[in-house]
Amino acid sequence: ETDPDDPAPIVLIGTWRNMSSDEIQMVRHAIEARGGWASWWSFPIREEFADVLQDGFHLYLNSGGGSFPCRFWVEKYKTSRGNEGILTPWPDITDEEAKDVPRSGPSNAQVFKSWLRVTQVEEFDDPLTLDDFEPAPGTMRSALLNQSAFGYATLKKIHMRSRTSTSRTSKRAATGW
């Protein structure tokens, strides 16, 4: 049983617009085939959250409009600042088109500033909404959904504490901790 005085873990929020079931299946297949999937993002992870994220964290994926149909378990990450971009730290689990390059194109939105080592994908029967999250300490609610930064949050507590390890999870199980 969870200690009610323990703080809720910090989770990240990222937007993957118009995410399809086929794309989620491709990620799941990559994890099964390679033991993980390297996902790049065009913005860094904030330094003040590094300590609480170092042992892994959930990334909740906004598919648009504040709907969160799935989450990734991120086992490790590497992040950088500036506009140079970084090469994948895990070429063995990186999609071919993202290997050996620090960006996917000329715009700032195509610079690889963060790499996430994803080892699990969970889809929810009922997508979570923005109302299921509280801003992390030191952040504002308006910053949770931002196209150019991760949102930093905690999940609101729901009285059911168990989680499932299956690929599809109920909203209650996903927010119980």
Side-chain angles (χ1 to χ4, degrees):
E1 186 168 321
T2 303
D3 181 343
D5 295 326
D6 279 352
I10 299 294
V11 301
L12 268 57
I13 293 175
T15 296
W16 183 343
R17 285 227 176 270
N18 305 313
M19 173 188 359
S20 72
S21 293
D22 288 345
E23 290 169 316
I24 296 303
Q25 288 302 93
M26 287 189 316
V27 171
R28 185 172 281 118
H29 176 73
I31 291 169
E32 289 168 2
R34 301 180 233 164
W37 179 64
S39 174
W40 68 266
W41 292 76
S42 62
F43 31 85
I45 292 177
R46 288 172 46 176
E47 291 176 15
E48 63 265 37
F49 291 102
D51 286 347
V52 297
L53 299 174
Q54 70 182 354
D55 293 327
F57 57 90
H58 281 111
L59 169 67
Y60 286 79
L61 297 167
N62 170 32
S63 62
S67 176
F68 300 86
C70 73
R71 70 181 177 184
F72 290 164
W73 175 251
V74 178
E75 187 177 89
K76 296 179 183 177
Y77 72 92
K78 184 173 180 182
T79 197
S80 70
R81 298 195 176 8
N83 291 317
E84 304 298 312
I86 54 175
L87 299 177
T88 178
W90 308 290
D92 56 323
I93 62 169
T94 301
D95 294 338
E96 283 302 319
E97 67 274 7
K99 288 183 181 179
D100 303 318
V101 293
R103 60 189 316 139
S104 64
S107 80
N108 284 342
Q110 296 170 308
V111 176
F112 303 164
K113 292 186 181 181
S114 293
W115 282 95
L116 309 180
R117 184 181 183 99
V118 177
T119 57
Q120 184 178 8
V121 177
E122 291 179 83
E123 293 178 85
F124 305 126
D125 292 331
D126 301 306
L128 275 63
T129 68
L130 199 54
D131 289 339
D132 291 308
F133 299 91
E134 289 290 343
T139 66
M140 295 174 23
R141 177 162 287 284
S142 61
L144 290 181
L145 293 182
N146 183 333
Q147 289 296 306
S148 56
F150 288 112
Y152 298 83
T154 59
L155 285 168
K156 289 183 179 176
K157 199 168 194 176
I158 293 182
H159 297 310
M160 183 175 176
R161 299 197 192 289
S162 65
R163 285 196 187 139
T164 70
S165 60
T166 61
S167 62
R168 295 198 71 81
T169 304
S170 72
K171 184 174 182 175
R172 266 185 166 246
T175 57
W177 46 274

